[in-house]
Amino acid sequence: MAVEEDKVQAKDIQRGRVMIDEILISLRRSVEGFINSFRIPGSTRYFEPIVFATVIVHTPFFTTPAQQVLVQGWKLTKVNVVEFLSAIEKQLQLLEDNIAHVSGLVHDQLAEVRQRQADSEKLVGSLFEENTEKLVLPSKTEISMVSPDSGFINLLRYGMLALRLLPPSSCPNLVVITDGMITLPDIHVLDSVLSQLRNNAVAVSFLHVGSQFHPHCALGLVPYVELMQFIASATTGSYIPSPPAVVFPDMPGKMNIYQISFLTWSFMKGGLGIEPYSGELSKGEWCVRNRRFDGNREPQLLTKKQSEDSLNVTLSSVLCCRMREGYFVKSVYLKDEAVDLCLVLPWSNHIYIEYYVSSDWPPTESVRYAISIKGKHLSSTI
């Protein structure tokens, strides 16, 4: 299991915490939650997961020291979990000092460029206004930086690379601890990354730290909750906002929220596969519950049929091929010696590809299929 942390130097004003403290608390709660033994549902057998963890800290904008591997292939047990968390905390503090130093250097460079620009404007006056309006960093800067839209893609790619270095024949899970300030360059890059994740059967889960959006203390930083929910749904992962502490249930051996989220998997997805979080808000958090706001309404999805045809293959071959591509089983109907299945592929936020396949029952080497696109209706007003 690989755990990644998207570390942003920010403060949670609503809760009075620094973001690095939120990350450490969420990491500790999740690790202590899923390493416990539990009873397999429907049986009396207890199961204790064998977890190999790789922890990578990714800092947006900076490439050095942006990608830091704090732990690689650590075998987690109940005995060494305290040592594991202590090692992570010490290395995070050291990395925080390095990032603060690098940030200071970048700030000094920007201040120097602005000073040069101001001096040039004083000397040349308004003769070269068009050339001096733009603020250009020196071409030979000592600190490498990346655009913010490519940072999240790099984070997922580093996680896939880390999973390849773990023991084989394992269930790959990628857990991203982030404050949600993420974005993507375009839909084609997202589709490429999702295809790689699906082909390698990697489940991406998100632990969303920090408070919810508040208009008076967000400073323009709004967490991209819809993107995290979509990626988690498209890769059979989970989205957990404000990760809770593990409360041991009254029934011994019952699975907790982290074990259910990280260690269970299903081909079946009800509805469109995205379940909104209905947890309680913490004291002081802000939320819009007015259904008159368009953003709080359920999106209206329209369906357009693309094509239909028949194939001379078995039903099992079609299902294996489509599920390998990332399709989920939405519904199954068996009637009149025929079976109808609806498969759904989350392609983008509020855009889904539905694949309808029907065959005789018992199955024969002939199936019929139809492909439809379901997406959000965009209405424009003047």
Side-chain angles (χ1 to χ4, degrees), residues 153-164:
I153 293 297
N154 293 336
L155 183 147
L156 295 177
R157 288 172 176 169
Y158 299 144
M160 286 188 285
L161 177 60
L163 288 173
R164 291 181 177 273

Side-chain angles (χ1 to χ4, degrees), residues 98-220:
N98 293 334
I99 293 175
H101 176 68
V102 174
S103 301
L105 295 178
V106 174
H107 183 270
D108 294 340
Q109 287 185 1
L110 292 176
E112 183 180 354
V113 172
R114 293 191 182 97
Q115 184 62 37
R116 291 178 180 176
Q117 182 185 14
D119 295 340
S120 299
E121 291 177 350
K122 292 180 181 179
L123 291 176
V124 301
S126 59
L127 294 178
F128 302 98
E129 276 187 2
E130 296 181 357
N131 296 331
T132 59
E133 284 181 355
K134 297 182 179 180
L135 177 62
V136 182
L137 287 174
S139 58
K140 297 182 179 180
T141 177
E142 298 178 357
I143 302 171
S144 301
M145 302 183 68
V146 295
S147 59
D149 55 357
S150 62
F152 180 66
I153 293 297
N154 293 336
L155 183 147
L156 295 177
R157 288 172 176 169
Y158 299 144
M160 286 188 285
L161 177 60
L163 288 173
R164 291 181 177 273
L165 301 178
L166 295 180
S169 302
S170 60
C171 182
N173 286 272
L174 183 61
V175 182
V176 182
I177 306 178
T178 178
D179 59 355
M181 310 302 172
I182 56 178
T183 184
L184 289 172
D186 53 49
I187 188 60
H188 301 290
V189 177
L190 175 62
D191 185 53
S192 175
V193 173
L194 286 180
S195 299
Q196 297 178 28
L197 292 170
R198 289 162 174 160
N199 292 334
N200 294 279
V202 177
V204 181
S205 299
F206 292 88
L207 300 181
H208 186 187
V209 298
S211 301
Q212 300 297 322
F213 167 73
H214 193 288
H216 299 293
C217 59
L219 299 178

Side-chain angles (χ1 to χ4, degrees), residues 225 229 239 241 270 273-279 291 298:
V225 177
Q229 290 178 338
Y239 167 74
I274 295 181
E275 300 177 359
Y277 179 72
S278 59
R291 304 302 297 178
E298 292 295 330

Side-chain angles (χ1 to χ4, degrees), residues 300-302 375-379:
Q300 181 182 3
L301 302 181
L302 302 181
K376 183 178 180 181
H377 176 65
L378 298 179
S379 59

Side-chain angles (χ1 to χ4, degrees), residues 63-361:
T63 58
T64 303
Q67 294 72 246
Q68 293 289 335
V69 180
L70 304 186
V71 169
Q72 200 279 325
W74 187 306
K75 185 177 180 179
L76 280 174
T77 61
K78 297 180 181 178
V79 179
N80 64 5
V81 64
V82 177
E83 181 184 359
F84 170 80
L85 295 174
S86 177
I88 296 299
E89 183 176 2
K90 291 179 181 178
Q91 295 187 57
L92 276 179
Q93 291 175 353
L94 293 176
L95 183 62
E96 184 181 20
D97 295 337
N98 293 334
I99 293 175
H101 176 68
V102 174
S103 301
L105 295 178
V106 174
H107 183 270
D108 294 340
Q109 287 185 1
L110 292 176
E112 183 180 354
V113 172
R114 293 191 182 97
Q115 184 62 37
R116 291 178 180 176
Q117 182 185 14
D119 295 340
S120 299
E121 291 177 350
K122 292 180 181 179
L123 291 176
V124 301
S126 59
L127 294 178
F128 302 98
E129 276 187 2
E130 296 181 357
N131 296 331
T132 59
E133 284 181 355
K134 297 182 179 180
L135 177 62
V136 182
L137 287 174
S139 58
K140 297 182 179 180
T141 177
E142 298 178 357
I143 302 171
S144 301
M145 302 183 68
V146 295
S147 59
D149 55 357
S150 62
F152 180 66
I153 293 297
N154 293 336
L155 183 147
L156 295 177
R157 288 172 176 169
Y158 299 144
M160 286 188 285
L161 177 60
L163 288 173
R164 291 181 177 273
L165 301 178
L166 295 180
S169 302
S170 60
C171 182
N173 286 272
L174 183 61
V175 182
V176 182
I177 306 178
T178 178
D179 59 355
M181 310 302 172
I182 56 178
T183 184
L184 289 172
D186 53 49
I187 188 60
H188 301 290
V189 177
L190 175 62
D191 185 53
S192 175
V193 173
L194 286 180
S195 299
Q196 297 178 28
L197 292 170
R198 289 162 174 160
N199 292 334
N200 294 279
V202 177
V204 181
S205 299
F206 292 88
L207 300 181
H208 186 187
V209 298
S211 301
Q212 300 297 322
F213 167 73
H214 193 288
H216 299 293
C217 59
L219 299 178
L221 301 177
V222 181
Y224 203 164
V225 177
E226 291 80 6
L227 177 61
M228 293 186 288
Q229 290 178 338
F230 165 72
I231 295 179
S233 174
T235 58
T236 67
S238 301
Y239 167 74
I240 304 177
S242 302
V246 176
V247 179
F248 292 98
D250 298 333
M251 298 176 58
K254 187 178 180 180
M255 300 180 68
N256 56 54
I257 182 175
Y258 298 106
Q259 293 171 341
I260 295 175
S261 301
F262 302 154
L263 302 178
T264 60
W265 195 77
S266 175
F267 287 106
M268 192 74 177
K269 284 288 182 181
L272 295 177
I274 295 181
E275 300 177 359
Y277 179 72
S278 59
E280 297 181 358
L281 294 176
S282 301
K283 184 178 180 181
E285 290 190 353
W286 182 84
C287 180
V288 175
R289 298 186 182 276
N290 191 343
R291 304 302 297 178
R292 294 184 178 180
F293 282 95
D294 183 71
N296 286 331
R297 298 175 182 174
E298 292 295 330
Q300 181 182 3
L301 302 181
L302 302 181
T303 303
K304 181 180 180 182
K305 193 173 183 179
Q306 294 295 113
S307 62
E308 60 179 338
D309 203 346
S310 59
L311 298 173
N312 295 325
V313 294
T314 61
L315 178 62
S316 59
S317 300
V318 175
L319 291 179
C320 292
C321 180
R322 294 296 173 257
M323 289 184 176
R324 182 67 176 176
E325 295 174 351
Y327 282 86
F328 302 110
V329 178
K330 182 180 178 181
S331 60
V332 179
Y333 296 100
L334 182 61
K335 59 179 181 179
D336 299 334
E337 298 182 352
V339 59
D340 298 331
L341 293 94
C342 178
L343 309 179
V344 60
L345 175 69
W347 186 73
S348 181
N349 191 21
H350 298 312
I351 301 177
Y352 306 90
I353 302 176
E354 291 190 343
Y355 190 91
Y356 300 92
V357 58
S358 59
S359 173
D360 298 331
W361 192 262

